[in-house]
Amino acid sequence: MTPSDLVPDGGSQLLIGGKLTPGGGGVFTTSNPATGAALGHAANADANDMDAAIAAARTAFDTTDWSRDPGFRATCLRQLRDGLRAHLEDLREITIAEVGAPRMFTAGPQLEGPIEDLGYFADLAENYSWETDLGVASPMGIKSSRRLRREAIGVVGAITPWNFPHQINFAKLGPALAAGTTVVLKPAPDTPWCAAVVGRIIAEETDIPAGVVNIVTSDDHSLGAQLVTDPRVDMISFTGSTQTGKSVMAAAAASLKKVFLELGGKSAFIVLDDADLAAAVAYAAFGVCVHAGQGCAISTRLLVPRAQYDQAVQVAAATLGNIKPGDPSKRGTVCGPVISERQLARVQRYLDIAEADGGTIAVGGRRPDLPGWFIEPTLITGLSNSSTVAQEEIFGPVLVLIPHDGDDDAVRIANDSPYGLSGSVWGNDTERVRAVVEGVRTGTLSVNGGIWYSADAPFGGYKQSGIGREMGVLGFEEYTETKLIATGC
Ligand code: NAD
């Protein structure tokens, strides 16, 4: 790790009420997953810090005109984007080192894409139609002119995971600030610096008022739970595992706050029998290697026509076998490490389960001779969709190959999952592809390699993959309330 202007002495701070502060719980270590070695330390917030952060966000919402000044909010969001741009190379090295994110993806969704997306939300704050005229009606004979108004929902608790920290932090901060809310961001314990450096830029390089954004790093998950239960928080915007999402939703019920959830996935990549099998399978296999498979929307079940199964095994094994896990700081690396020793053990446990269930590890599955938390891209064959590794989210570079018996069967298998986040369809007949697309129950779908990720495109899940949508106008409106005003006339 090269010396960083953003973390000059190897330690990061909290941002609470506009001030950079140490944590009441001391510090905790943040590590480089590519080496297993410590990078430095992060401020370890305690419950008092979280309490102060929530109080600051509440005060900023209730006592300033932040929520009523969209032009100022747009200016602040552009200042934040520009501040991040100014520190781009420093942020890139921190992201590669702390997340294990391959360098090539920092030019896209791991860093540069999300920074630029803040501009979209600044534009939205300025251009959004905050009021809609519903016209005049005479309910019960009383002539009334009606206006529908959108207003900021209040204080938002944003809780995020470690796999794409900037993408997820900015996909919450961008629309939340554009909408006029104030925020307490609690990032994952594995990637505190990625969030803390944003706090530093906010404090030192923007006019974002004190208390509007608070960033609370901690190695203690219970601070997330504290945020969820605090009655001063109006909404929880959570991204993480389905298991944690369920406990967030249950805990939020006590204060009946709005819960917006982006959760896990086990997406299916459907290859129809008229598709270019080799191209489709190679594309799918490459996809599970990206960032070592640590993407919620990566298609990890590959469904191919039964008659072409053996050919698909060959292509997938060749593709996965050719992608060697390696140092994420190197330019050509696609598959870096998984985030932690714990995550590596989780992946290995699933590979053991696959073999115990009668499956075959057709390629990969071993730890390469590297320091850090690496595992080879892996292909599992010989198991049905009801197997544990086809049903549960592994979150590693692991592809499960499953045969299907035609388009309807492929749709049935794709939908035979508790999740409904994303997926892919490859085929040449437009009508058949359309029927498959309409049958699959997921929040996003890629057809023949199309990219759905974009600031203006809502992202989210059906079923146990979540509730609500992130990004786009729909994602922005998640952070608003509606008020209907009827004036007698
Ligand atoms: P996680 O659920 O373990 O943790 C996510 C966050 O929740 C962390 O900040 C954690 O500290 C916090 N947390 C833990 N327990 C909590 C509680 N009881 N109350 C409140 N907060 C709590 O997830 P992770 O391991 O950090 O991330 C991986 C998971 O995230 C995967 O399941 C992945 O699919 C999912 N994910 C989903 C999306 C999406 O947009 N759908 C995007 C990225 C990751």
Side-chain angles (χ1 to χ4, degrees):
M1 178 77 198
T2 50
S4 162
D5 290 339
L6 292 168
V7 197
D9 55 358
S12 64
Q13 293 174 295
L14 313 175
L15 175 63
I16 297 177
K19 293 199 169 58
L20 296 170
T21 64
V27 297
F28 67 105
T29 301
T30 185
S31 301
N32 182 339
T35 62
L39 283 171
H41 54 264
N44 203 7
D46 62 12
N48 292 329
D49 294 319
M50 181 56 87
D51 186 67
I54 296 169
R58 189 75 254 169
T59 301
F61 187 80
D62 291 341
T63 65
T64 74
D65 62 359
W66 173 254
S67 69
R68 288 178 291 279
D69 193 346
F72 177 55
R73 299 200 299 270
T75 301
C76 288
L77 275 166
R78 293 193 186 106
Q79 287 174 339
L80 175 57
R81 178 200 57 196
D82 295 347
L84 292 160
R85 280 179 180 163
H87 293 279
L88 187 62
E89 294 316 315
D90 204 353
L91 286 164
R92 193 187 312 284
E93 297 311 319
I94 287 171
T95 308
I96 293 166
E98 189 176 54
V99 186
R103 182 175 296 280
M104 70 167 79
F105 304 124
T106 63
Q110 276 291 11
L111 181 63
E112 293 188 42
I115 291 174
E116 296 309 312
D117 290 349
L118 292 174
Y120 168 83
F121 291 107
D123 294 347
L124 201 50
E126 280 176 340
N127 302 329
Y128 185 69
S129 297
W130 295 92
E131 289 201 1
T132 313
D133 184 357
L134 294 189
V136 175
S138 298
M140 294 172 285
I142 301 170
K143 202 171 166 198
S144 306
S145 152
R146 290 95 33 83
R147 279 184 301 127
L148 186 64
R149 210 177 124 68
R150 288 269 184 181
E151 296 180 348
I153 197 166
V155 174
V156 172
I159 302 174
T160 58
W162 41 261
N163 59 331
F164 282 79
H166 300 301
Q167 198 282 321
I168 298 165
N169 291 344
F170 296 154
K172 297 192 187 305
L173 282 177
L177 298 185
T181 72
T182 60
V183 180
V184 177
L185 171 63
K186 199 221 73 68
D190 311 81
T191 50
W193 278 7
C194 284
V197 294
V198 176
R200 185 169 180 143
I201 291 170
I202 287 173
E204 295 181 347
E205 301 182 32
T206 76
D207 294 322
I208 294 175
V212 164
V213 179
N214 305 273
I215 299 183
V216 183
T217 57
S218 174
D219 66 357
D220 181 358
H221 293 300
S222 76
L223 264 59
Q226 184 183 344
L227 195 49
V228 174
T229 49
D230 194 297
R232 293 169 293 179
V233 176
D234 298 291
M235 169 184 173
I236 292 293
S237 176
F238 172 84
T239 299
S241 63
T242 293
Q243 192 188 359
T244 309
K246 287 178 184 176
S247 59
V248 165
M249 193 166 174
S255 51
L256 217 65
K257 56 173 61 81
K258 177 173 177 178
V259 178
F260 164 65
L261 302 170
E262 294 287 359
L263 308 176
K266 191 75 191 181
S267 301
F269 190 117
I270 298 174
V271 185
L272 303 184
D273 63 12
D274 66 347
D276 177 341
L277 183 89
V281 170
Y283 188 92
F286 179 86
V288 299
C289 300
V290 169
H291 191 27
Q294 300 169 112
C296 51
I298 291 175
S299 291
T300 51
R301 293 182 292 153
L302 177 55
L303 316 187
V304 298
R306 191 176 296 279
Q308 295 171 305
Y309 191 82
D310 291 344
Q311 191 192 342
V313 172
Q314 283 181 10
V315 176
T319 307
L320 292 165
N322 274 332
I323 298 174
K324 304 293 178 203
D327 181 352
S329 68
K330 296 234 166 83
R331 279 189 197 287
T333 299
V334 170
C335 184
V338 296
I339 190 73
S340 61
E341 189 170 17
R342 190 166 139 262
Q343 187 65 20
L344 179 64
R346 175 189 164 96
V347 176
Q348 289 177 313
R349 192 171 69 248
Y350 275 112
L351 301 186
D352 291 343
I353 291 171
E355 288 188 308
D357 285 349
T360 300
I361 307 290
V363 74
R366 290 166 309 200
R367 286 189 67 178
D369 186 17
L370 293 169
W373 318 125
F374 293 90
I375 184 131
E376 291 173 344
T378 306
L379 178 66
I380 298 174
T381 60
L383 289 176
S384 75
N385 191 60
S386 61
S387 62
T388 301
V389 290
Q391 287 292 311
E392 296 185 10
E393 185 180 48
I394 298 174
F395 232 54
V398 182
L399 184 63
V400 185
L401 190 60
I402 298 165
H404 70 74
D405 293 310
D407 301 6
D408 291 347
D409 191 46
V411 171
R412 181 191 62 75
I413 296 170
N415 287 339
D416 180 13
S417 168
Y419 297 110
L421 193 55
S422 189
S424 285
V425 183
W426 278 51
N428 276 323
D429 182 309
T430 312
E431 287 311 309
R432 283 176 60 195
V433 168
R434 181 198 296 273
V436 171
V437 164
E438 288 179 1
V440 173
R441 301 196 65 233
T442 61
T444 53
L445 266 179
S446 160
V447 174
N448 294 332
I451 304 289
W452 42 255
Y453 171 77
S454 165
D456 65 349
F459 170 74
Y462 285 30
K463 302 194 279 183
Q464 294 191 27
S465 287
I467 298 175
R469 292 292 178 271
E470 197 141 76
M471 316 272 278
V473 175
L474 288 180
F476 165 85
E477 288 178 342
E478 295 283 356
Y479 296 90
T480 64
E481 276 284 13
T482 56
K483 182 181 280 173
L484 190 284
I485 304 140
T487 307
C489 53

